[in-house]
Amino acid sequence: MTQLLSVRKACEVLDISDTTLYKLLNLNDTSKAQIKSFNLGRTRKIDSNEIERFIEQSQKSGAVEIE
């Protein structure tokens, strides 16, 4: 079942800092975002399927570019 994760929970799942996650979300240019997210009210949410997709893609490529 799909879950909506907060930024904090997504950071825990990925074991990264919030700064790194925000770089991956690339809120200034969402077309370049490596992880897609959305606002639900005043909070940012990330679909757990999006986290799984990101992990699978990262494993295949062997690296993640963070701008």
Side-chain angles (χ1 to χ4, degrees):
M1 184 170 115
T2 299
Q3 291 183 327
L4 296 180
L5 306 177
S6 65
V7 169
R8 179 164 113 189
K9 184 64 178 175
C11 288
E12 289 175 16
V13 169
L14 293 170
D15 195 25
I16 60 175
S17 70
D18 58 341
T19 302
T20 301
L21 180 59
Y22 278 114
K23 288 179 182 178
L24 293 170
L25 296 174
N26 200 347
L27 300 177
N28 294 327
D29 186 357
T30 55
S31 67
K32 294 182 181 179
Q34 295 184 49
I35 298 176
K36 293 180 178 25
S37 66
F38 61 95
N39 284 332
L40 185 61
R42 292 176 30 193
T43 61
R44 181 147 304 272
K45 295 293 183 179
I46 303 163
D47 187 313
S48 59
N49 290 329
E50 184 65 16
I51 298 292
E52 290 177 25
R53 183 204 57 77
F54 172 75
I55 292 169
E56 289 173 7
Q57 181 181 357
S58 300
Q59 288 174 332
K60 287 179 185 174
S61 68
V64 176
E65 293 291 325
I66 300 175
E67 294 179 21

